[in-house]
Amino acid sequence: MARPSHRDTILCEGLKVIHEKGFAGASVRDIVRAAGVPQGSFTNHFPSKEAFGLEVLNLYFEKGRRVMDETVRNRALPPLKRMEAYLDQVIAAHRAEGVHSGCLIGNFTAEVVEGSELLRRRLVEIHDENRAAFAECLAEAVEAGELPADFDVSGTAEFIVAGVQGAILLAKARREVGPLEAFRKLLFASVLR
């Protein structure tokens, strides 16, 4: 009789541990303890902590993709309303979580890019995918006449990715969503006019 796989439990509980303690701060022992499984279960499913980190990052990003699909890619709304809906969801999520953990993607970006080329490349892909979604939405806003014809879609999309991640890091440090709210306000009052 085959033994049950603990892979999904390790991933889900490990994501929580890494989000709370950071990638370097979370040991394999912490992860398996949170998952309630023997330490050997980790090495049965993941060849290294780096490989595990990649899977955790992908699992977390799937949630981000769902938020993008519900907001930025939701063509039932006008383009700039989609951008507002996205930022509103980001702010609401961080408010609900108490802001203490920040964004796992931003945390990984700040923490692991020098130590893991595999994770660094994946983070670049994630940031690029987010930038492309914003750029597409902004281009649709130009087409719809919500933004001027000469609007810098690409540069603004890059600014939004950097601004959201920076605001989340500041919110994490301050333990309050004020930086996110300030970014949202400035974005719509000055940039997306």
Side-chain angles (χ1 to χ4, degrees):
M1 183 173 194
R3 290 186 289 180
S5 172
H6 298 296
R7 186 176 195 287
D8 290 343
T9 303
I10 295 168
L11 276 170
C12 290
E13 294 305 315
L15 187 152
K16 293 174 191 172
V17 171
I18 288 173
H19 205 178
E20 183 68 32
K21 292 185 171 195
F23 185 71
S27 69
V28 170
R29 182 170 289 138
D30 294 331
I31 293 164
V32 296
R33 186 179 309 122
V37 301
Q39 189 150 345
S41 294
F42 185 92
T43 54
N44 285 342
H45 297 291
F46 309 100
S48 66
K49 187 177 174 193
E50 180 185 48
F52 174 75
L54 180 63
E55 292 204 39
V56 163
L57 190 57
N58 288 332
L59 180 64
Y60 184 84
F61 185 52
E62 282 306 312
K63 178 182 168 188
R65 275 190 180 132
R66 285 192 300 274
V67 171
M68 283 288 202
D69 289 345
E70 293 168 4
T71 59
V72 175
R73 294 184 184 109
N74 179 2
R75 289 191 169 82
L77 296 173
L80 293 184
K81 289 291 181 193
R82 292 185 234 161
M83 298 295 290
E84 288 178 0
Y86 172 78
L87 287 168
D88 289 345
Q89 277 204 33
V90 168
I91 292 167
H94 286 280
R95 183 177 285 121
E97 294 168 4
V99 195
H100 69 282
S101 295
C103 170
L104 189 68
I105 294 164
N107 295 348
F108 264 67
T109 301
E111 184 180 0
V112 303
V113 293
E114 296 303 319
S116 170
E117 184 62 17
L118 175 72
L119 294 174
R120 186 197 68 76
R121 283 193 316 266
R122 181 63 184 127
L123 288 161
V124 168
E125 292 169 357
I126 288 169
H127 291 304
D128 285 349
E129 184 175 325
N130 286 339
R131 182 184 41 75
F134 292 137
E136 184 176 337
C137 186
L138 293 171
E140 290 175 17
V142 170
E143 289 173 22
E146 293 183 316
L147 294 171
D150 63 348
F151 189 79
D152 181 2
V153 168
S154 179
T156 304
E158 188 77 37
F159 168 77
I160 292 169
V161 169
V164 168
Q165 284 300 323
I168 291 170
L169 282 172
L170 282 174
K172 178 181 175 181
R174 293 181 184 167
R175 301 281 196 252
E176 52 97 8
V177 296
L180 279 162
E181 292 171 332
F183 175 78
R184 183 194 187 286
K185 181 179 179 182
L186 181 66
L187 181 67
F188 289 99
S190 300
V191 179
L192 300 180
R193 297 181 43 139

